[in-house]
Amino acid sequence: MKKYQVVGIGNAMVDVLARAEDAFLAEAGVEKGIMQLIDMERAVDLYSRVGPAKEVSGGSAANTIAGIAHLGGRTAYVGKVKDDQLGAIFAHDLRAQGAGYETAMAPKSEEAETGRCIVLVTPDGERSMNTYLGVTEFLSADDINEDQMAEAEWIYLEGYRFDGPDSHAAFAKAVAACKGAGGRVSLTLSDPFCIERHRDAFRDMIRDHVDLLFCNRAEMRSMYQTEDFDAALAQAASEVAIVACTDSEHGVHVLAEGQRWHVPAVPTQIVDATGAGDLFAGAFLWGLTNGHDLQTCAMMGNVAASEVISHIGARPEADLKALFKGQGLL
């Protein structure tokens, strides 16, 4: 048995969550429903203009890993923060969930700061993310521990991490170490605009290395540059062993071994859509590494996503295992 079921690599961020009206988004020049990269000056300005905010450790892959840890999985995370207040908060929160976190902090002398994402949640539950990457942009191959990657049944790569001068080399090192020791690779596409920036790199990795692809409908169509959703799914399934594509309130489509399943969503009142895909992936991977079939994994993912969007913040607040038992999944 390997030390880790899943090791995630991504942008280590602290989320600043605030409610906002659509009019505020328009006034502040925030495009609704997507992730926009911003600089430090813009981050400070936007933060000064939002109302009361909640600061919680976030980052897409970190949320996934926190979800796996919450379920009792053997898991760890790689992502860079600075030796500052937000960096300390991030590290403490992740370790408190039960996840391993050993990435060396950037020194206090580093000009860039710990990354943060200002998440503006509108009354319809949609989230508009404004991301200052800070030091996490500079995660490099030197931050990848090959022994740790070799000890992982799966590694989980965050698409957002493709933004960064050394990120592709870091991913390549992680993939080689994991695959060389018999592990498998999962990737989340993260965001259509991220795909637009790095489509060729995504395509190469998907074709050559990825065993499990996570995405949503918009990302799937963007990846394969078609409005025909079914055609995009079929193309992905021809390149990857397992495809798990979420479709908002319509549930999730899972494709593997020439088969396709549709698993319905779990209805809930949407308070904050932040983290839905992250927790879906976490629960899916937990189910997979604990021997459950793909349909059950997808249902677990839907239950976890439903829980996380029912409250502010991208980390689970209810006992996910208890929810799984309530649905007859355990």
Side-chain angles (χ1 to χ4, degrees), residues 83-105:
D83 184 9
D84 57 16
Q85 183 179 3
L86 287 181
I89 290 171
F90 178 90
H92 173 269
D93 285 356
L94 197 58
R95 290 170 181 150
Q97 289 278 348
Y101 179 59
E102 302 168 1
T103 310
M105 286 183 167

Side-chain angles (χ1 to χ4, degrees), residues 219-233:
E219 293 156 4
M220 175 62 70
R221 294 193 303 191
S222 174
M223 186 72 252
Y224 293 102
Q225 296 178 283
T226 177
E227 291 300 308
D228 187 333
F229 181 52
D230 290 330
L233 285 174

Side-chain angles (χ1 to χ4, degrees), residues 201-212:
F202 273 120
R203 288 301 303 274
D204 289 345
M205 178 170 282
I206 288 168
R207 280 194 301 260
D208 298 340
H209 303 297
V210 172
D211 302 289
L212 167 55

Side-chain angles (χ1 to χ4, degrees), residues 29-168:
V30 173
E31 190 166 349
K32 185 174 179 177
I34 67 164
M35 190 281 285
Q36 300 174 86
L37 292 175
I38 59 176
D39 59 20
M40 189 62 191
E41 183 179 359
R42 170 69 165 160
V44 171
D45 175 65
L46 200 54
Y47 184 74
S48 71
R49 297 167 67 180
V50 302
K54 178 180 180 182
E55 294 180 355
V56 294
S57 294
S60 177
N63 293 333
T64 297
I65 296 305
I68 295 170
H70 167 94
L71 285 161
R74 306 186 311 280
T75 190
Y77 177 75
V78 179
K80 206 165 191 68
V81 296
K82 184 179 179 177
D83 184 9
D84 57 16
Q85 183 179 3
L86 287 181
I89 290 171
F90 178 90
H92 173 269
D93 285 356
L94 197 58
R95 290 170 181 150
Q97 289 278 348
Y101 179 59
E102 302 168 1
T103 310
M105 286 183 167
K108 293 181 184 293
S109 58
E110 175 70 44
E111 183 178 348
E113 299 183 6
T114 292
R116 73 284 314 259
C117 181
I118 300 173
V119 184
L120 302 177
V121 184
T122 40
D124 59 1
E126 185 61 85
R127 76 278 190 271
S128 305
M129 298 176 289
N130 304 270
T131 303
Y132 163 66
L133 290 174
V135 296
T136 200
E137 181 178 3
F138 303 105
L139 185 83
S140 72
D142 290 341
D143 295 303
I144 302 299
N145 182 328
E146 290 175 301
D147 292 338
Q148 185 183 51
M149 299 302 143
E151 277 295 322
E153 295 176 25
W154 285 87
I155 57 173
Y156 177 76
L157 308 178
E158 176 189 312
Y160 287 130
R161 187 77 299 280
F162 275 72
D163 287 311
D166 302 313
S167 55
H168 298 201

Side-chain angles (χ1 to χ4, degrees), residues 17 43 95 187 205 215 237 242 268:
L17 298 147
R95 290 170 181 150
L187 168 71
M205 178 170 282
C215 60
I242 306 170
T268 191

